[in-house]
Amino acid sequence: MVEIETERLVLRRFALDDAAFFMALLNDPDWIRFIGDRHVYNIDSARAYLAKTYLAQYEKNGFGLYLTALKNGTPLGMCGLIKRDGLDDVDIGFAFLPAHRGLGYALEAAQASLDYGRRVLMKKRVVAITLPANTASVAVIKKLGMRFERLIRLGDDPDELALYAVELKT
Protein backbone atom coordinates (compact mmCIF):
# COMPACT_ATOMS: atom_id res chain seq x y z
CA MET A 1 0.00 0.00 0.00
CA VAL A 2 1.57 3.29 -1.15
CA GLU A 3 1.14 5.97 1.49
CA ILE A 4 3.18 8.78 -0.08
CA GLU A 5 4.35 9.46 -3.62
CA THR A 6 6.78 12.07 -4.90
CA GLU A 7 8.22 12.84 -8.32
CA ARG A 8 10.81 10.05 -7.98
CA LEU A 9 9.76 7.99 -4.97
CA VAL A 10 7.08 5.88 -3.38
CA LEU A 11 6.83 5.40 0.36
CA ARG A 12 4.87 2.34 1.38
CA ARG A 13 4.32 0.24 4.44
CA PHE A 14 6.90 -2.41 5.11
CA ALA A 15 5.78 -6.02 4.66
CA LEU A 16 7.34 -9.22 5.94
CA ASP A 17 8.55 -9.88 2.38
CA ASP A 18 10.88 -6.87 2.79
CA ALA A 19 12.92 -8.69 5.45
CA ALA A 20 16.09 -9.09 3.34
CA PHE A 21 16.24 -5.38 2.47
CA PHE A 22 15.35 -4.45 6.06
CA MET A 23 18.15 -6.66 7.39
CA ALA A 24 20.65 -5.00 5.03
CA LEU A 25 19.58 -1.52 6.14
CA LEU A 26 19.74 -2.33 9.86
CA ASN A 27 23.21 -3.82 9.45
CA ASP A 28 24.66 -0.88 7.52
CA PRO A 29 27.66 0.37 9.57
CA ASP A 30 26.22 3.90 9.72
CA TRP A 31 22.88 2.58 11.02
CA ILE A 32 24.72 0.73 13.77
CA ARG A 33 26.91 3.76 14.53
CA PHE A 34 24.18 6.40 14.61
CA ILE A 35 21.00 4.46 15.47
CA GLY A 36 22.21 1.31 17.17
CA ASP A 37 22.60 -2.41 16.70
CA ARG A 38 19.16 -4.03 16.59
CA HIS A 39 20.64 -7.58 16.56
CA VAL A 40 18.85 -8.44 13.33
CA TYR A 41 21.28 -10.83 11.65
CA ASN A 42 19.07 -13.22 9.65
CA ILE A 43 15.80 -13.20 7.73
CA ASP A 44 13.78 -14.72 10.59
CA SER A 45 14.95 -12.07 13.07
CA ALA A 46 14.30 -9.37 10.46
CA ARG A 47 10.71 -10.57 10.00
CA ALA A 48 10.20 -10.76 13.77
CA TYR A 49 11.59 -7.24 14.29
CA LEU A 50 9.49 -5.85 11.45
CA ALA A 51 6.33 -7.41 12.92
CA LYS A 52 7.07 -6.33 16.50
CA THR A 53 8.00 -2.74 15.69
CA TYR A 54 7.14 -1.34 12.26
CA LEU A 55 3.99 -3.35 11.50
CA ALA A 56 2.81 -2.87 15.10
CA GLN A 57 3.20 0.91 14.67
CA TYR A 58 0.93 0.86 11.63
CA GLU A 59 -1.72 -1.02 13.60
CA LYS A 60 -1.42 1.17 16.69
CA ASN A 61 -1.08 4.62 15.08
CA GLY A 62 -2.09 4.22 11.44
CA PHE A 63 1.33 5.48 10.29
CA GLY A 64 5.02 4.80 10.77
CA LEU A 65 8.31 4.42 8.97
CA TYR A 66 7.85 3.42 5.35
CA LEU A 67 10.02 1.59 2.86
CA THR A 68 11.22 4.24 0.44
CA ALA A 69 11.77 3.09 -3.14
CA LEU A 70 12.21 4.44 -6.61
CA LYS A 71 9.06 4.29 -8.68
CA ASN A 72 10.54 1.25 -10.47
CA GLY A 73 10.45 -0.58 -7.12
CA THR A 74 14.16 -0.40 -6.20
CA PRO A 75 14.29 -0.03 -2.40
CA LEU A 76 16.54 2.80 -1.19
CA GLY A 77 15.85 3.14 2.52
CA MET A 78 13.09 4.22 4.87
CA CYS A 79 11.39 7.41 5.89
CA GLY A 80 8.28 8.40 7.77
CA LEU A 81 6.72 9.66 10.97
CA ILE A 82 6.58 7.72 14.21
CA LYS A 83 5.15 8.22 17.67
CA ARG A 84 8.04 7.33 19.95
CA ASP A 85 7.82 6.71 23.68
CA GLY A 86 9.48 9.57 25.51
CA LEU A 87 8.60 12.26 22.98
CA ASP A 88 5.48 14.41 23.15
CA ASP A 89 5.44 15.00 19.41
CA VAL A 90 5.55 12.77 16.36
CA ASP A 91 9.06 12.54 15.00
CA ILE A 92 10.46 12.07 11.54
CA GLY A 93 12.98 9.38 10.81
CA PHE A 94 14.95 8.38 7.74
CA ALA A 95 17.79 6.05 6.78
CA PHE A 96 19.15 5.11 3.36
CA LEU A 97 21.66 2.55 2.16
CA PRO A 98 25.07 4.08 1.28
CA ALA A 99 24.59 3.77 -2.49
CA HIS A 100 21.51 6.02 -2.27
CA ARG A 101 22.87 8.80 -0.07
CA GLY A 102 23.78 12.23 -1.34
CA LEU A 103 21.24 12.08 -4.18
CA GLY A 104 18.45 14.08 -2.54
CA TYR A 105 16.25 11.07 -1.75
CA ALA A 106 16.25 11.62 2.03
CA LEU A 107 15.24 15.27 1.67
CA GLU A 108 12.56 14.46 -0.93
CA ALA A 109 11.08 11.66 1.18
CA ALA A 110 11.27 13.69 4.40
CA GLN A 111 9.60 16.76 2.86
CA ALA A 112 6.80 14.53 1.56
CA SER A 113 6.48 12.91 4.99
CA LEU A 114 6.14 16.30 6.68
CA ASP A 115 3.47 17.27 4.14
CA TYR A 116 1.67 13.97 4.84
CA GLY A 117 1.85 14.73 8.55
CA ARG A 118 0.28 18.14 8.02
CA ARG A 119 -2.37 17.21 5.42
CA VAL A 120 -3.38 13.67 6.39
CA LEU A 121 -2.40 13.28 10.05
CA MET A 122 -3.25 16.90 10.92
CA LYS A 123 -0.04 17.38 12.90
CA LYS A 124 0.92 20.93 13.84
CA ARG A 125 4.47 20.13 14.95
CA VAL A 126 7.02 17.44 14.12
CA VAL A 127 10.37 16.81 15.78
CA ALA A 128 13.53 14.99 14.78
CA ILE A 129 16.16 13.41 17.00
CA THR A 130 19.70 12.47 16.06
CA LEU A 131 23.15 12.09 17.50
CA PRO A 132 24.86 15.46 17.08
CA ALA A 133 27.76 13.68 15.33
CA ASN A 134 25.43 12.49 12.54
CA THR A 135 26.19 15.50 10.38
CA ALA A 136 24.48 14.12 7.26
CA SER A 137 21.17 13.72 9.11
CA VAL A 138 21.56 17.11 10.77
CA ALA A 139 22.00 18.67 7.32
CA VAL A 140 18.76 17.10 6.04
CA ILE A 141 16.92 18.09 9.23
CA LYS A 142 18.02 21.71 8.83
CA LYS A 143 17.03 21.73 5.13
CA LEU A 144 13.54 20.70 6.29
CA GLY A 145 13.38 23.98 8.22
CA MET A 146 13.74 22.30 11.60
CA ARG A 147 15.42 24.24 14.38
CA PHE A 148 17.55 22.89 17.21
CA GLU A 149 15.73 23.05 20.56
CA ARG A 150 17.79 21.11 23.11
CA LEU A 151 19.72 17.97 23.96
CA ILE A 152 17.67 15.10 25.40
CA ARG A 153 18.02 11.51 26.56
CA LEU A 154 15.39 8.87 25.80
CA GLY A 155 14.83 6.10 28.32
CA ASP A 156 18.05 4.46 29.53
CA ASP A 157 19.97 5.46 26.41
CA PRO A 158 23.30 6.92 27.56
CA ASP A 159 23.65 9.03 24.39
CA GLU A 160 22.47 12.61 24.29
CA LEU A 161 20.36 13.31 21.23
CA ALA A 162 19.80 16.64 19.54
CA LEU A 163 16.09 17.50 19.32
CA TYR A 164 14.97 19.62 16.38
CA ALA A 165 11.42 20.81 15.68
CA VAL A 166 9.30 22.49 13.03
CA GLU A 167 5.82 23.97 13.21
CA LEU A 168 3.76 22.79 10.24
CA LYS A 169 1.81 25.52 8.50
CA THR A 170 -1.80 24.75 7.64
Side-chain angles (χ1 to χ4, degrees), residues 31 55-57 69 71 75 78 84 105 109 112 123 128 132 149-150:
W31 177 289
L55 278 57
Q57 278 278 322
K71 288 194 171 177
M78 68 169 71
R84 192 185 308 267
Y105 296 133
K123 300 297 177 187
E149 288 194 346
R150 66 186 183 279

Side-chain angles (χ1 to χ4, degrees), residues 1-117:
M1 174 193 326
V2 172
E3 301 289 341
I4 301 169
E5 191 169 341
T6 71
E7 183 179 327
R8 301 183 294 170
L9 307 173
V10 291
L11 285 73
R12 65 160 175 82
R13 291 181 179 204
F14 276 97
L16 294 179
D17 289 344
D18 299 315
F21 170 77
F22 186 71
M23 184 178 69
L25 188 61
L26 268 62
N27 285 290
D28 171 62
D30 284 336
W31 177 289
I32 293 169
R33 177 177 170 210
F34 293 122
I35 300 171
D37 190 344
R38 299 299 189 246
H39 306 286
V40 174
Y41 307 127
N42 60 52
I43 296 296
D44 289 337
S45 64
R47 283 188 190 110
Y49 193 85
L50 269 171
K52 182 179 85 171
T53 56
Y54 291 59
L55 278 57
Q57 278 278 322
Y58 306 147
E59 289 301 314
K60 180 179 179 185
N61 299 317
F63 61 91
L65 290 167
Y66 301 129
L67 184 139
T68 303
L70 292 174
K71 288 194 171 177
N72 70 9
T74 303
L76 309 174
M78 68 169 71
C79 186
L81 302 173
I82 55 174
K83 182 61 185 104
R84 192 185 308 267
D85 291 339
L87 291 177
D88 294 333
D89 298 294
V90 166
D91 79 289
I92 190 164
F94 49 87
F96 288 79
L97 287 174
H100 309 298
R101 294 182 195 147
L103 301 170
Y105 296 133
L107 182 60
E108 185 176 332
Q111 286 173 327
S113 294
L114 287 179
D115 185 54
Y116 180 84

Side-chain angles (χ1 to χ4, degrees), residues 32-36 130-132 151-162:
I32 293 169
R33 177 177 170 210
F34 293 122
I35 300 171
T130 189
L131 288 172
L151 293 173
I152 64 167
R153 278 192 166 72
L154 288 181
D156 330 352
D157 192 341
D159 294 321
E160 273 193 325
L161 300 169

